């Protein structure tokens, strides 16, 4: 599909990036289950390796099924290009890789997916990178955390675990003033609810494992480039602006302009890090994306109903859903994610740790799993699972206090979900 500007989201989520298969006319995007692609002749092969001609060489770098997904996600996010990878965590490393060098740091929000907190606070240290965790509601603290070695700001649009909403306009004003890229994890919102590039994001990362695929079948990730960042202006991003020794001295920013990040991510990132998405995973995710808007509407509708019901219930202390008028983030919904505050939030159960454990064991429709963004409703008691190594103080700071459970509302009948929560709360607080 060519003229993507004039089509609506519902059309693009089905058609963007895809065309009938030129060889067979197959209407659905085939799963190109192949590792390599035959070169027309030696000259063609050389042109591909020189990046003078765009085409397929080897599936660690590019694959036609994955390429359709890349174009689809880029289009839905309003970016110029995207690179898919093996997981959401791979996407985060792929986003940072062209920007960072040993000794560099990133300034990141304290409100992040638990696995991301570990990746940023521990694992990236092995690369000589570091992260400074800051409350992104405190703009002065964000500004103060930036130093000469900072190479990016990182936050989630709708943030874990409580469904808090980041003021992306305020944060991108800070990153712009500092001449730094802003990376936004848009997993919980999806481009249907929030388009971070319109709020100043440079790169958008996704765990496609979650809502984009939607049925909890495959892991995957994506990095979308806005194409708007000037990589040469500050001299801080030599891998993008200077001759890159890992690609025979190619100057990516000069050669590829707005597509520099995308080409770098494929030619150097995927080639050398190998965090590649396989075509089967791309197929499942393409299937999922076709119904993204329909599912997100239902996720939001159900989450709103259930959050309102829980907030009124005497067995519940508080509910963090940003779509509730009582939420301090309610005012940001219209600005940042006008179609709704997503399907993810936490609530505190009277009776504390013991009651939470009984609650998750008593639910029948909700599954007790470490996942989110499934058609199925999911629940996790973080203090006894994902956050059990932390002290109570650390759990509280992370929004995962012992009396708190996180739920990811699915697209089942809201009345059934409420009845399930009702019977389980009765058992939990008896
Ligand atoms: C799940 C998740 C990730 C990590 O993605 P994986 O696909 O599990 O590697 C990152 N960010 C957020 C917000 C997530 O929900």
């Amino acid at each position: 599909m060519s003229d993507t500007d004039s089509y609506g989201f519902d059309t693009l989520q089905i058609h963007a990036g895809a065309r009938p298969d030129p060889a067979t006319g197959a209407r659905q995007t085939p799963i190109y289950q192949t590792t390599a692609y035959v070169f027309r002749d030696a000259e063609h092969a050389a042109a591909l390796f020189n990046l003078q001609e765009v085409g397929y060489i080897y599936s660690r770098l590019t694959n036609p099924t994955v390429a359709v997904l890349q174009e689809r996600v880029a289009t839905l996010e309003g970016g110029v290009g995207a690179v898919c990878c093996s997981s959401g965590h791979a996407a985060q490393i792929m986003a940072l890789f062209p920007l960072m060098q040993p000794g560099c740091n990133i300034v990141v929000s304290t409100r992040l997916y638990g696995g991301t907190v570990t990746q940023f606070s521990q694992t990236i240290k092995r690369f000589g990178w570091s992260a400074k965790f800051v409350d992104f509601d405190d703009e002065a603290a964000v500004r103060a955390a930036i130093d000469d070695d900072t190479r990016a700001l990182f936050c989630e649009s709708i943030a874990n675990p409580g469904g808090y909403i980041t003021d992306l306009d305020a944060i991108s004003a800070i990153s712009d003033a500092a001449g730094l890229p802003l990376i936004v994890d848009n997993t919980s919102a999806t481009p249907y609810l929030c388009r971070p590039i319109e709020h100043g994001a440079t790169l958008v990362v996704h765990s496609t494992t979650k809502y984009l695929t939607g049925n909890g079948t495959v892991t995957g990730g994506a990095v979308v480039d806005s194409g708007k960042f000037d990589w040469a202006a500050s001299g801080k991003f030599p891998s993008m602006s200077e001759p890159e020794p890992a690609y025979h001295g190619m100057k990516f920013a000069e050669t590829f302009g707005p597509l520099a990040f995308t080409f770098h991510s494929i030619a150097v990132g995927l080639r050398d890090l190998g965090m590649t998405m396989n075509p089967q995973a791309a197929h499942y995710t393409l299937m999922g994306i076709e119904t993204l808007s329909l599912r997100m509407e239902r996720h939001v509708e159900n989450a709103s109903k259930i959050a309102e019901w829980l907030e009124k219930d005497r067995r519940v202390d508080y509910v963090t859903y940003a779509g509730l008028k009582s939420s301090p983030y309610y005012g940001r919904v219209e600005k940042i994610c006008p179609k709704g505050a997503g399907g993810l939030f936490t609530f505190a159960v009277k009776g504390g740790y013991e009651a939470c454990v009984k609650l998750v064991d008593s639910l029948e429709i909700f599954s007790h799993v470490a996942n989110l963004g499934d058609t199925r409703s999911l629940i996790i008691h973080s203090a006894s699972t994902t956050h059990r190594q932390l002290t109570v103080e650390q759990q509280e700071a992370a929004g995962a206090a012992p009396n708190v459970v996180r739920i990811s509302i699915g697209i089942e009948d809201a009345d059934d979900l409420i009845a399930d929560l009702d019977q389980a709360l009765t058992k939990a607080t008896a």
Side-chain angles (χ1 to χ4, degrees):
M1 225 170 61
S2 47
D3 185 14
T4 51
D5 287 346
S6 59
Y7 292 111
F9 193 96
D10 290 354
T11 305
L12 294 172
Q13 73 185 358
I14 295 169
H15 292 287
R19 42 198 77 73
D21 182 50
T24 62
R27 178 59 275 202
Q28 190 50 271
T29 299
I31 303 170
Y32 285 92
Q33 198 67 62
T34 183
T35 308
Y37 307 84
V38 179
F39 306 123
R40 286 196 302 273
D41 50 33
E43 201 183 328
H44 177 224
L48 289 175
F49 277 94
N50 270 340
L51 300 180
Q52 285 157 337
E53 192 178 325
V54 176
Y56 300 102
I57 296 175
Y58 186 65
S59 283
R60 173 158 30 82
L61 311 173
T62 45
N63 171 281
T65 312
V66 178
V68 172
L69 177 60
Q70 288 173 161
E71 196 174 328
R72 181 137 341 143
V73 176
T75 303
L76 295 179
E77 286 287 1
V80 295
V83 56
C84 284
C85 5
S86 51
S87 71
H89 270 6
Q92 292 169 187
I93 297 298
M94 287 287 292
L96 293 174
F97 175 66
L99 282 45
M100 302 292 279
Q101 294 177 81
C104 291
N105 69 68
I106 49 176
V107 171
V108 310
S109 170
T110 45
R111 294 182 199 86
L112 295 176
Y113 176 74
T116 305
V117 174
T118 309
Q119 189 187 58
F120 287 173
S121 62
Q122 304 299 332
T123 304
I124 64 170
K125 284 199 234 164
R126 309 272 191 102
F127 308 147
W129 311 345
S130 61
K132 299 186 192 183
F133 288 83
V134 184
D135 177 356
F136 267 40
D137 284 340
D138 185 345
E139 291 170 34
V142 176
R143 256 184 237 105
I146 296 171
D147 63 29
D148 286 346
D149 295 323
T150 304
R151 291 294 177 273
L153 278 65
F154 186 104
C155 62
E156 295 177 7
S157 48
I158 299 183
N160 262 283
Y164 318 110
I165 295 172
T166 307
D167 186 347
L168 299 178
D169 299 305
I171 299 298
S172 67
I174 297 171
S175 60
D176 283 351
L180 293 172
L182 170 64
I183 307 172
V184 176
D185 182 339
N186 201 30
T187 299
S188 310
T190 81
Y192 183 67
L193 299 181
C194 175
R195 304 229 305 169
I197 291 171
E198 290 171 3
H199 298 280
T202 308
L203 303 173
V204 177
V205 294
H206 275 283
S207 166
T208 60
T209 314
K210 313 292 170 52
Y211 292 104
L212 293 185
T213 305
N215 335 75
T217 46
V218 287
T219 63
V223 188
V224 182
D225 181 18
S226 65
K228 291 181 181 158
F229 194 80
D230 182 348
W231 299 106
S234 67
K236 287 180 177 170
F237 304 100
S239 185
M240 300 292 289
S241 63
E242 304 304 315
E244 172 49 77
Y247 214 93
H248 51 70
M250 171 84 73
K251 286 180 153 186
F252 281 87
E254 190 180 293
T255 310
F256 298 109
L259 281 167
F261 182 90
T262 305
F263 272 87
H264 190 289
S265 289
I266 294 167
V268 184
L270 285 181
R271 188 199 61 184
D272 295 351
L273 300 177
M275 300 167 164
T276 309
M277 177 181 277
N278 68 72
Q280 290 278 349
H283 167 74
Y284 282 108
T285 305
L286 282 165
M287 295 295 96
I289 288 186
E290 292 191 351
T291 57
L292 180 64
S293 64
L294 308 176
R295 288 184 287 110
M296 292 315 291
E297 272 170 17
R298 178 64 77 87
H299 282 296
V300 167
E301 188 186 315
N302 281 358
S304 305
K305 278 186 197 160
I306 291 161
E308 277 167 29
W309 180 82
L310 283 168
E311 190 173 45
K312 287 194 202 103
D313 196 281
R314 281 178 296 104
R315 298 163 293 187
V316 170
D317 269 329
Y318 62 84
V319 183
T320 62
Y321 190 53
L324 290 171
K325 287 205 179 69
S326 58
S327 166
Y329 295 99
Y330 184 73
R332 289 186 189 164
V333 177
E334 201 168 335
K335 189 165 112 174
I336 304 295
C337 46
K339 292 202 186 83
L344 185 74
F345 59 89
T346 60
F347 64 94
V349 183
K350 289 204 174 110
Y353 188 100
E354 286 310 316
C356 288
V357 171
K358 266 191 221 151
L359 175 77
V360 294
D361 280 344
S362 306
L363 285 161
E364 281 161 20
I365 301 175
F366 283 79
S367 306
H368 186 201
V369 299
N371 192 20
L372 60 96
D374 196 326
T375 48
R376 274 153 278 275
S377 290
L378 313 174
I379 188 164
I380 191 152
H381 179 227
S382 306
S384 61
T385 56
T386 52
H387 290 61
R388 70 175 295 130
Q389 266 80 9
L390 306 186
T391 63
V392 171
E393 291 73 44
Q394 287 173 316
Q395 289 171 348
E396 277 165 2
N403 62 334
V404 167
V405 289
R406 184 191 77 186
I407 50 177
S408 171
I409 299 295
I411 61 173
E412 303 99 329
D413 286 290
D415 290 344
D416 292 339
L417 298 176
I418 288 173
D420 194 25
L421 285 165
D422 190 23
Q423 64 81 19
L425 278 167
T426 301
K427 287 182 189 147
T429 57

